[in-house]
Amino acid sequence: MVLAAAFVVGGYVSLLASSSPDGLERVAEAQGFLMFSAQPAEGILTDYQMPGVDDAALATSLAGMIGTLFVFGALFFLGTSLYRIRSEDEEGIL
Amino acid sequence: MHLPDEFLSSGTAAGFAGIAALAVGLAVQKVRSAFMRKIPVLKARLATFPDTGASRSMNLQNRLSKLGQEKVWRMAAVGALVFSAQMVNFPIGEGISGHLLGGTLAALILGPLEALLAMTAILVVQALIFADGGILALGANIFNMGIVGAIGGYSYFRFLTRDSRKVGMNFWLSAFVAAWLSVVFAAIAASFEIAWSGMKPFLTALQAMTLTYILIGLAEGAITVAVLALLYRKKFPLETLREEKIYAKE
């Protein structure tokens, strides 16, 4: 249920997001040190836009859902691998 | 709130990376023992004729407990939710927006250390895939949003409710205030990092950051209470309401 909500928020509600700079960016801008990060950062899905998709809304939606999936996958893998490491140790002893 | 690499000097970034690595490492260890359950297993050994008992000696084996499996699912799902909620920037004034940090929310749902792991996963995905927050600045961001945000928020909540597990006005008010405080303190931590990096004098950075995030924190508090209330009504198990100790001492 929570996971489903996460996908809805990432895929749909994220479209309603304000595009204004966030608090930190705004402070940096106002105080004149945002230019230090003038060059656009290189990322695969920079600015939460799926590259190669013309429709901006679809691009955001896809990026949101991919990100949600990645976070879920990473945590699930972490959670289950914590278990695996320990049980292998034990088998080694036996 | 995600610091890009350019805002931090390498010394500051490295220092916070060290602190974050240590904290996350400790959290992994603690959370792992909370997920596990020791079960006795018969050791398979050759029997000896004068029975020494060696053939029947018991061995404790660690298994992921049923509760642990549920916790893994919950941690991953809540992490995913906080990630997607962070995408939703809400306007708080002319040309300025804020978004949920979600550390306190995650901590109240999952427990503080699970929340730290969830926040770490979120920040790593954001830095690596979305270029939101620098890769070198990851340590500082984990410190601000994971340690100050999640563990800090959880502690303020515990302090404010005086460790009570009753759900009443005080519960919701404490959740609101704890979430708000966690954001303000995260902003203060970010100001320290910016000042240490020689970007701005401390007081200038502090003033601008605190004023901005006092506002954003109000929204953080409101969202935190709203999501908690929804989960509470749906009978989602909230870690804050559990009576037993979350982390077993090993």
Side-chain angles (χ1 to χ4, degrees), chain B residues 84-122:
Chain B
S84 59
Q86 283 200 359
M87 280 181 72
V88 184
N89 279 59
F90 43 82
I92 55 159
E94 193 58 38
I96 179 165
S97 72
H99 63 75
L100 183 81
L101 301 187
T104 308
L105 177 62
L108 294 187
I109 301 174
L110 299 170
L113 299 182
E114 287 86 350
L116 175 59
L117 298 187
M119 295 307 285
T120 304
I122 292 166

PDB file of all heavy atoms in Angstrom, chain B residues 84-122:
ATOM      1  N   SER B  84       9.801   9.769  -3.341  1.00  0.00           N
ATOM      2  CA  SER B  84       8.876  10.397  -4.289  1.00  0.00           C
ATOM      3  C   SER B  84       8.280  11.666  -3.698  1.00  0.00           C
ATOM      4  O   SER B  84       8.068  12.643  -4.413  1.00  0.00           O
ATOM      5  CB  SER B  84       7.796   9.415  -4.732  1.00  0.00           C
ATOM      6  OG  SER B  84       7.086   8.955  -3.618  1.00  0.00           O
ATOM      7  N   ALA B  85       8.066  11.670  -2.372  1.00  0.00           N
ATOM      8  CA  ALA B  85       7.531  12.880  -1.753  1.00  0.00           C
ATOM      9  C   ALA B  85       8.535  14.029  -1.844  1.00  0.00           C
ATOM     10  O   ALA B  85       8.160  15.192  -1.950  1.00  0.00           O
ATOM     11  CB  ALA B  85       7.168  12.612  -0.296  1.00  0.00           C
ATOM     12  N   GLN B  86       9.836  13.681  -1.834  1.00  0.00           N
ATOM     13  CA  GLN B  86      10.857  14.731  -1.935  1.00  0.00           C
ATOM     14  C   GLN B  86      10.837  15.414  -3.300  1.00  0.00           C
ATOM     15  O   GLN B  86      11.357  16.509  -3.466  1.00  0.00           O
ATOM     16  CB  GLN B  86      12.248  14.144  -1.691  1.00  0.00           C
ATOM     17  CG  GLN B  86      12.536  13.894  -0.230  1.00  0.00           C
ATOM     18  CD  GLN B  86      14.014  13.783   0.053  1.00  0.00           C
ATOM     19  OE1 GLN B  86      14.826  13.884  -0.859  1.00  0.00           O
ATOM     20  NE2 GLN B  86      14.368  13.583   1.295  1.00  0.00           N
ATOM     21  N   MET B  87      10.272  14.718  -4.298  1.00  0.00           N
ATOM     22  CA  MET B  87      10.212  15.314  -5.640  1.00  0.00           C
ATOM     23  C   MET B  87       9.208  16.449  -5.723  1.00  0.00           C
ATOM     24  O   MET B  87       9.262  17.278  -6.625  1.00  0.00           O
ATOM     25  CB  MET B  87       9.800  14.248  -6.667  1.00  0.00           C
ATOM     26  CG  MET B  87      10.904  13.344  -7.112  1.00  0.00           C
ATOM     27  SD  MET B  87      10.264  12.174  -8.334  1.00  0.00           S
ATOM     28  CE  MET B  87      10.031  13.225  -9.773  1.00  0.00           C
ATOM     29  N   VAL B  88       8.245  16.425  -4.800  1.00  0.00           N
ATOM     30  CA  VAL B  88       7.145  17.382  -4.905  1.00  0.00           C
ATOM     31  C   VAL B  88       7.531  18.686  -4.211  1.00  0.00           C
ATOM     32  O   VAL B  88       7.437  18.807  -3.003  1.00  0.00           O
ATOM     33  CB  VAL B  88       5.860  16.801  -4.274  1.00  0.00           C
ATOM     34  CG1 VAL B  88       4.703  17.754  -4.484  1.00  0.00           C
ATOM     35  CG2 VAL B  88       5.552  15.444  -4.877  1.00  0.00           C
ATOM     36  N   ASN B  89       7.987  19.637  -4.997  1.00  0.00           N
ATOM     37  CA  ASN B  89       8.337  20.941  -4.437  1.00  0.00           C
ATOM     38  C   ASN B  89       7.079  21.788  -4.314  1.00  0.00           C
ATOM     39  O   ASN B  89       6.316  21.909  -5.256  1.00  0.00           O
ATOM     40  CB  ASN B  89       9.334  21.655  -5.361  1.00  0.00           C
ATOM     41  CG  ASN B  89      10.742  21.165  -5.147  1.00  0.00           C
ATOM     42  OD1 ASN B  89      11.004  19.981  -5.315  1.00  0.00           O
ATOM     43  ND2 ASN B  89      11.628  22.046  -4.759  1.00  0.00           N
ATOM     44  N   PHE B  90       6.888  22.340  -3.116  1.00  0.00           N
ATOM     45  CA  PHE B  90       5.750  23.228  -2.931  1.00  0.00           C
ATOM     46  C   PHE B  90       6.260  24.646  -2.798  1.00  0.00           C
ATOM     47  O   PHE B  90       7.312  24.885  -2.215  1.00  0.00           O
ATOM     48  CB  PHE B  90       4.926  22.823  -1.699  1.00  0.00           C
ATOM     49  CG  PHE B  90       5.779  22.475  -0.504  1.00  0.00           C
ATOM     50  CD1 PHE B  90       6.285  23.461   0.314  1.00  0.00           C
ATOM     51  CD2 PHE B  90       6.085  21.136  -0.236  1.00  0.00           C
ATOM     52  CE1 PHE B  90       7.081  23.134   1.398  1.00  0.00           C
ATOM     53  CE2 PHE B  90       6.887  20.814   0.852  1.00  0.00           C
ATOM     54  CZ  PHE B  90       7.394  21.816   1.660  1.00  0.00           C
ATOM     55  N   PRO B  91       5.524  25.611  -3.392  1.00  0.00           N
ATOM     56  CA  PRO B  91       5.973  27.009  -3.308  1.00  0.00           C
ATOM     57  C   PRO B  91       5.766  27.542  -1.892  1.00  0.00           C
ATOM     58  O   PRO B  91       4.749  27.250  -1.269  1.00  0.00           O
ATOM     59  CB  PRO B  91       5.072  27.735  -4.304  1.00  0.00           C
ATOM     60  CG  PRO B  91       3.877  26.856  -4.459  1.00  0.00           C
ATOM     61  CD  PRO B  91       4.311  25.453  -4.190  1.00  0.00           C
ATOM     62  N   ILE B  92       6.760  28.268  -1.376  1.00  0.00           N
ATOM     63  CA  ILE B  92       6.548  28.878  -0.057  1.00  0.00           C
ATOM     64  C   ILE B  92       6.653  30.394  -0.143  1.00  0.00           C
ATOM     65  O   ILE B  92       6.538  31.087   0.850  1.00  0.00           O
ATOM     66  CB  ILE B  92       7.558  28.362   0.996  1.00  0.00           C
ATOM     67  CG1 ILE B  92       8.984  28.562   0.514  1.00  0.00           C
ATOM     68  CG2 ILE B  92       7.308  26.931   1.356  1.00  0.00           C
ATOM     69  CD1 ILE B  92       9.970  28.566   1.643  1.00  0.00           C
ATOM     70  N   GLY B  93       6.882  30.907  -1.349  1.00  0.00           N
ATOM     71  CA  GLY B  93       6.953  32.349  -1.511  1.00  0.00           C
ATOM     72  C   GLY B  93       7.277  32.647  -2.950  1.00  0.00           C
ATOM     73  O   GLY B  93       7.337  31.741  -3.787  1.00  0.00           O
ATOM     74  N   GLU B  94       7.514  33.903  -3.222  1.00  0.00           N
ATOM     75  CA  GLU B  94       7.814  34.331  -4.578  1.00  0.00           C
ATOM     76  C   GLU B  94       9.136  33.698  -5.034  1.00  0.00           C
ATOM     77  O   GLU B  94      10.177  33.961  -4.451  1.00  0.00           O
ATOM     78  CB  GLU B  94       7.899  35.868  -4.592  1.00  0.00           C
ATOM     79  CG  GLU B  94       7.901  36.514  -5.958  1.00  0.00           C
ATOM     80  CD  GLU B  94       6.671  36.174  -6.790  1.00  0.00           C
ATOM     81  OE1 GLU B  94       5.569  36.094  -6.210  1.00  0.00           O
ATOM     82  OE2 GLU B  94       6.824  35.965  -8.004  1.00  0.00           O
ATOM     83  N   GLY B  95       9.076  32.843  -6.037  1.00  0.00           N
ATOM     84  CA  GLY B  95      10.296  32.274  -6.612  1.00  0.00           C
ATOM     85  C   GLY B  95      11.066  31.385  -5.659  1.00  0.00           C
ATOM     86  O   GLY B  95      12.279  31.244  -5.774  1.00  0.00           O
ATOM     87  N   ILE B  96      10.396  30.803  -4.736  1.00  0.00           N
ATOM     88  CA  ILE B  96      11.105  29.940  -3.781  1.00  0.00           C
ATOM     89  C   ILE B  96      10.191  28.777  -3.386  1.00  0.00           C
ATOM     90  O   ILE B  96       8.998  28.943  -3.204  1.00  0.00           O
ATOM     91  CB  ILE B  96      11.569  30.758  -2.550  1.00  0.00           C
ATOM     92  CG1 ILE B  96      12.284  29.865  -1.549  1.00  0.00           C
ATOM     93  CG2 ILE B  96      10.430  31.481  -1.888  1.00  0.00           C
ATOM     94  CD1 ILE B  96      13.058  30.656  -0.529  1.00  0.00           C
ATOM     95  N   SER B  97      10.795  27.604  -3.312  1.00  0.00           N
ATOM     96  CA  SER B  97       9.988  26.433  -2.995  1.00  0.00           C
ATOM     97  C   SER B  97      10.719  25.586  -1.959  1.00  0.00           C
ATOM     98  O   SER B  97      11.880  25.820  -1.652  1.00  0.00           O
ATOM     99  CB  SER B  97       9.727  25.605  -4.252  1.00  0.00           C
ATOM    100  OG  SER B  97      10.911  24.950  -4.651  1.00  0.00           O
ATOM    101  N   GLY B  98      10.023  24.633  -1.432  1.00  0.00           N
ATOM    102  CA  GLY B  98      10.640  23.702  -0.496  1.00  0.00           C
ATOM    103  C   GLY B  98      10.100  22.318  -0.770  1.00  0.00           C
ATOM    104  O   GLY B  98       9.118  22.165  -1.501  1.00  0.00           O
ATOM    105  N   HIS B  99      10.758  21.326  -0.236  1.00  0.00           N
ATOM    106  CA  HIS B  99      10.197  19.983  -0.363  1.00  0.00           C
ATOM    107  C   HIS B  99      10.396  19.242   0.946  1.00  0.00           C
ATOM    108  O   HIS B  99      11.225  19.614   1.773  1.00  0.00           O
ATOM    109  CB  HIS B  99      10.825  19.225  -1.537  1.00  0.00           C
ATOM    110  CG  HIS B  99      12.293  18.972  -1.404  1.00  0.00           C
ATOM    111  ND1 HIS B  99      12.812  18.024  -0.560  1.00  0.00           N
ATOM    112  CD2 HIS B  99      13.356  19.560  -1.999  1.00  0.00           C
ATOM    113  CE1 HIS B  99      14.128  18.028  -0.660  1.00  0.00           C
ATOM    114  NE2 HIS B  99      14.489  18.958  -1.515  1.00  0.00           N
ATOM    115  N   LEU B 100       9.630  18.191   1.105  1.00  0.00           N
ATOM    116  CA  LEU B 100       9.733  17.371   2.304  1.00  0.00           C
ATOM    117  C   LEU B 100      11.140  16.786   2.384  1.00  0.00           C
ATOM    118  O   LEU B 100      11.715  16.390   1.380  1.00  0.00           O
ATOM    119  CB  LEU B 100       8.714  16.236   2.204  1.00  0.00           C
ATOM    120  CG  LEU B 100       8.618  15.310   3.408  1.00  0.00           C
ATOM    121  CD1 LEU B 100       7.761  15.942   4.477  1.00  0.00           C
ATOM    122  CD2 LEU B 100       8.041  13.967   3.007  1.00  0.00           C
ATOM    123  N   LEU B 101      11.699  16.755   3.616  1.00  0.00           N
ATOM    124  CA  LEU B 101      12.951  16.014   3.784  1.00  0.00           C
ATOM    125  C   LEU B 101      12.617  14.597   4.238  1.00  0.00           C
ATOM    126  O   LEU B 101      13.205  13.630   3.790  1.00  0.00           O
ATOM    127  CB  LEU B 101      13.860  16.690   4.801  1.00  0.00           C
ATOM    128  CG  LEU B 101      14.283  18.133   4.492  1.00  0.00           C
ATOM    129  CD1 LEU B 101      15.323  18.590   5.499  1.00  0.00           C
ATOM    130  CD2 LEU B 101      14.826  18.266   3.092  1.00  0.00           C
ATOM    131  N   GLY B 102      11.659  14.506   5.146  1.00  0.00           N
ATOM    132  CA  GLY B 102      11.111  13.188   5.473  1.00  0.00           C
ATOM    133  C   GLY B 102      11.889  12.371   6.477  1.00  0.00           C
ATOM    134  O   GLY B 102      11.504  11.250   6.762  1.00  0.00           O
ATOM    135  N   GLY B 103      12.960  12.924   7.031  1.00  0.00           N
ATOM    136  CA  GLY B 103      13.742  12.161   7.997  1.00  0.00           C
ATOM    137  C   GLY B 103      12.935  11.806   9.236  1.00  0.00           C
ATOM    138  O   GLY B 103      12.902  10.657   9.665  1.00  0.00           O
ATOM    139  N   THR B 104      12.250  12.801   9.801  1.00  0.00           N
ATOM    140  CA  THR B 104      11.462  12.558  11.005  1.00  0.00           C
ATOM    141  C   THR B 104      10.303  11.621  10.702  1.00  0.00           C
ATOM    142  O   THR B 104      10.017  10.699  11.463  1.00  0.00           O
ATOM    143  CB  THR B 104      10.921  13.895  11.547  1.00  0.00           C
ATOM    144  OG1 THR B 104      12.022  14.786  11.675  1.00  0.00           O
ATOM    145  CG2 THR B 104      10.244  13.717  12.878  1.00  0.00           C
ATOM    146  N   LEU B 105       9.673  11.840   9.555  1.00  0.00           N
ATOM    147  CA  LEU B 105       8.559  10.974   9.164  1.00  0.00           C
ATOM    148  C   LEU B 105       9.028   9.522   9.094  1.00  0.00           C
ATOM    149  O   LEU B 105       8.417   8.624   9.687  1.00  0.00           O
ATOM    150  CB  LEU B 105       8.020  11.425   7.798  1.00  0.00           C
ATOM    151  CG  LEU B 105       6.908  10.578   7.211  1.00  0.00           C
ATOM    152  CD1 LEU B 105       5.679  10.597   8.097  1.00  0.00           C
ATOM    153  CD2 LEU B 105       6.547  11.049   5.811  1.00  0.00           C
ATOM    154  N   ALA B 106      10.131   9.302   8.403  1.00  0.00           N
ATOM    155  CA  ALA B 106      10.647   7.935   8.268  1.00  0.00           C
ATOM    156  C   ALA B 106      11.007   7.361   9.633  1.00  0.00           C
ATOM    157  O   ALA B 106      10.734   6.196   9.924  1.00  0.00           O
ATOM    158  CB  ALA B 106      11.849   7.924   7.340  1.00  0.00           C
ATOM    159  N   ALA B 107      11.596   8.201  10.501  1.00  0.00           N
ATOM    160  CA  ALA B 107      12.030   7.711  11.816  1.00  0.00           C
ATOM    161  C   ALA B 107      10.835   7.334  12.681  1.00  0.00           C
ATOM    162  O   ALA B 107      10.889   6.361  13.423  1.00  0.00           O
ATOM    163  CB  ALA B 107      12.870   8.766  12.516  1.00  0.00           C
ATOM    164  N   LEU B 108       9.755   8.102  12.579  1.00  0.00           N
ATOM    165  CA  LEU B 108       8.590   7.792  13.400  1.00  0.00           C
ATOM    166  C   LEU B 108       7.881   6.545  12.887  1.00  0.00           C
ATOM    167  O   LEU B 108       7.241   5.824  13.640  1.00  0.00           O
ATOM    168  CB  LEU B 108       7.624   8.984  13.434  1.00  0.00           C
ATOM    169  CG  LEU B 108       8.168  10.236  14.127  1.00  0.00           C
ATOM    170  CD1 LEU B 108       7.092  11.299  14.257  1.00  0.00           C
ATOM    171  CD2 LEU B 108       8.739   9.916  15.493  1.00  0.00           C
ATOM    172  N   ILE B 109       8.003   6.270  11.592  1.00  0.00           N
ATOM    173  CA  ILE B 109       7.367   5.058  11.055  1.00  0.00           C
ATOM    174  C   ILE B 109       8.255   3.838  11.294  1.00  0.00           C
ATOM    175  O   ILE B 109       7.788   2.773  11.675  1.00  0.00           O
ATOM    176  CB  ILE B 109       7.088   5.206   9.550  1.00  0.00           C
ATOM    177  CG1 ILE B 109       6.178   6.407   9.279  1.00  0.00           C
ATOM    178  CG2 ILE B 109       6.428   3.935   9.010  1.00  0.00           C
ATOM    179  CD1 ILE B 109       5.976   6.695   7.819  1.00  0.00           C
ATOM    180  N   LEU B 110       9.572   4.003  11.049  1.00  0.00           N
ATOM    181  CA  LEU B 110      10.460   2.835  10.977  1.00  0.00           C
ATOM    182  C   LEU B 110      11.351   2.648  12.196  1.00  0.00           C
ATOM    183  O   LEU B 110      11.861   1.560  12.415  1.00  0.00           O
ATOM    184  CB  LEU B 110      11.386   2.973   9.758  1.00  0.00           C
ATOM    185  CG  LEU B 110      10.747   3.050   8.381  1.00  0.00           C
ATOM    186  CD1 LEU B 110      11.802   3.424   7.359  1.00  0.00           C
ATOM    187  CD2 LEU B 110      10.107   1.731   8.025  1.00  0.00           C
ATOM    188  N   GLY B 111      11.571   3.701  12.945  1.00  0.00           N
ATOM    189  CA  GLY B 111      12.622   3.680  13.955  1.00  0.00           C
ATOM    190  C   GLY B 111      13.804   4.473  13.406  1.00  0.00           C
ATOM    191  O   GLY B 111      14.007   4.512  12.195  1.00  0.00           O
ATOM    192  N   PRO B 112      14.585   5.117  14.283  1.00  0.00           N
ATOM    193  CA  PRO B 112      15.595   6.070  13.824  1.00  0.00           C
ATOM    194  C   PRO B 112      16.694   5.471  12.945  1.00  0.00           C
ATOM    195  O   PRO B 112      17.103   6.092  11.975  1.00  0.00           O
ATOM    196  CB  PRO B 112      16.168   6.631  15.127  1.00  0.00           C
ATOM    197  CG  PRO B 112      15.797   5.650  16.176  1.00  0.00           C
ATOM    198  CD  PRO B 112      14.514   5.026  15.742  1.00  0.00           C
ATOM    199  N   LEU B 113      17.161   4.272  13.276  1.00  0.00           N
ATOM    200  CA  LEU B 113      18.292   3.739  12.512  1.00  0.00           C
ATOM    201  C   LEU B 113      17.854   3.211  11.148  1.00  0.00           C
ATOM    202  O   LEU B 113      18.566   3.387  10.156  1.00  0.00           O
ATOM    203  CB  LEU B 113      19.016   2.650  13.312  1.00  0.00           C
ATOM    204  CG  LEU B 113      19.587   3.154  14.636  1.00  0.00           C
ATOM    205  CD1 LEU B 113      20.318   2.043  15.357  1.00  0.00           C
ATOM    206  CD2 LEU B 113      20.519   4.332  14.425  1.00  0.00           C
ATOM    207  N   GLU B 114      16.682   2.582  11.109  1.00  0.00           N
ATOM    208  CA  GLU B 114      16.147   2.169   9.806  1.00  0.00           C
ATOM    209  C   GLU B 114      15.930   3.396   8.933  1.00  0.00           C
ATOM    210  O   GLU B 114      16.160   3.353   7.726  1.00  0.00           O
ATOM    211  CB  GLU B 114      14.815   1.427   9.976  1.00  0.00           C
ATOM    212  CG  GLU B 114      14.924   0.028  10.540  1.00  0.00           C
ATOM    213  CD  GLU B 114      14.944   0.007  12.055  1.00  0.00           C
ATOM    214  OE1 GLU B 114      15.062   1.085  12.662  1.00  0.00           O
ATOM    215  OE2 GLU B 114      14.851  -1.085  12.634  1.00  0.00           O
ATOM    216  N   ALA B 115      15.474   4.489   9.574  1.00  0.00           N
ATOM    217  CA  ALA B 115      15.247   5.720   8.824  1.00  0.00           C
ATOM    218  C   ALA B 115      16.558   6.267   8.275  1.00  0.00           C
ATOM    219  O   ALA B 115      16.610   6.747   7.141  1.00  0.00           O
ATOM    220  CB  ALA B 115      14.569   6.761   9.704  1.00  0.00           C
ATOM    221  N   LEU B 116      17.631   6.159   9.074  1.00  0.00           N
ATOM    222  CA  LEU B 116      18.933   6.617   8.587  1.00  0.00           C
ATOM    223  C   LEU B 116      19.330   5.813   7.348  1.00  0.00           C
ATOM    224  O   LEU B 116      19.817   6.370   6.362  1.00  0.00           O
ATOM    225  CB  LEU B 116      19.993   6.483   9.684  1.00  0.00           C
ATOM    226  CG  LEU B 116      21.428   6.809   9.277  1.00  0.00           C
ATOM    227  CD1 LEU B 116      21.545   8.231   8.762  1.00  0.00           C
ATOM    228  CD2 LEU B 116      22.391   6.618  10.440  1.00  0.00           C
ATOM    229  N   LEU B 117      19.106   4.508   7.379  1.00  0.00           N
ATOM    230  CA  LEU B 117      19.433   3.685   6.208  1.00  0.00           C
ATOM    231  C   LEU B 117      18.565   4.070   5.014  1.00  0.00           C
ATOM    232  O   LEU B 117      19.057   4.162   3.882  1.00  0.00           O
ATOM    233  CB  LEU B 117      19.246   2.195   6.533  1.00  0.00           C
ATOM    234  CG  LEU B 117      20.123   1.633   7.637  1.00  0.00           C
ATOM    235  CD1 LEU B 117      19.953   0.127   7.726  1.00  0.00           C
ATOM    236  CD2 LEU B 117      21.584   1.986   7.399  1.00  0.00           C
ATOM    237  N   ALA B 118      17.277   4.313   5.278  1.00  0.00           N
ATOM    238  CA  ALA B 118      16.383   4.699   4.185  1.00  0.00           C
ATOM    239  C   ALA B 118      16.824   6.025   3.575  1.00  0.00           C
ATOM    240  O   ALA B 118      16.915   6.163   2.350  1.00  0.00           O
ATOM    241  CB  ALA B 118      14.943   4.787   4.689  1.00  0.00           C
ATOM    242  N   MET B 119      17.140   7.000   4.439  1.00  0.00           N
ATOM    243  CA  MET B 119      17.574   8.307   3.934  1.00  0.00           C
ATOM    244  C   MET B 119      18.871   8.172   3.146  1.00  0.00           C
ATOM    245  O   MET B 119      19.065   8.827   2.124  1.00  0.00           O
ATOM    246  CB  MET B 119      17.778   9.303   5.092  1.00  0.00           C
ATOM    247  CG  MET B 119      16.530   9.667   5.860  1.00  0.00           C
ATOM    248  SD  MET B 119      15.167  10.252   4.850  1.00  0.00           S
ATOM    249  CE  MET B 119      15.703  11.908   4.445  1.00  0.00           C
ATOM    250  N   THR B 120      19.765   7.308   3.632  1.00  0.00           N
ATOM    251  CA  THR B 120      21.033   7.114   2.926  1.00  0.00           C
ATOM    252  C   THR B 120      20.773   6.568   1.522  1.00  0.00           C
ATOM    253  O   THR B 120      21.336   7.059   0.544  1.00  0.00           O
ATOM    254  CB  THR B 120      21.929   6.144   3.714  1.00  0.00           C
ATOM    255  OG1 THR B 120      22.088   6.658   5.033  1.00  0.00           O
ATOM    256  CG2 THR B 120      23.288   5.999   3.067  1.00  0.00           C
ATOM    257  N   ALA B 121      19.885   5.568   1.439  1.00  0.00           N
ATOM    258  CA  ALA B 121      19.582   4.994   0.123  1.00  0.00           C
ATOM    259  C   ALA B 121      18.987   6.053  -0.801  1.00  0.00           C
ATOM    260  O   ALA B 121      19.358   6.157  -1.975  1.00  0.00           O
ATOM    261  CB  ALA B 121      18.610   3.829   0.281  1.00  0.00           C
ATOM    262  N   ILE B 122      18.084   6.863  -0.255  1.00  0.00           N
ATOM    263  CA  ILE B 122      17.451   7.911  -1.052  1.00  0.00           C
ATOM    264  C   ILE B 122      18.503   8.881  -1.576  1.00  0.00           C
ATOM    265  O   ILE B 122      18.550   9.205  -2.765  1.00  0.00           O
ATOM    266  CB  ILE B 122      16.419   8.687  -0.199  1.00  0.00           C
ATOM    267  CG1 ILE B 122      15.232   7.787   0.139  1.00  0.00           C
ATOM    268  CG2 ILE B 122      15.953   9.942  -0.911  1.00  0.00           C
ATOM    269  CD1 ILE B 122      14.344   8.336   1.234  1.00  0.00           C
TER     270      ILE B 122
END
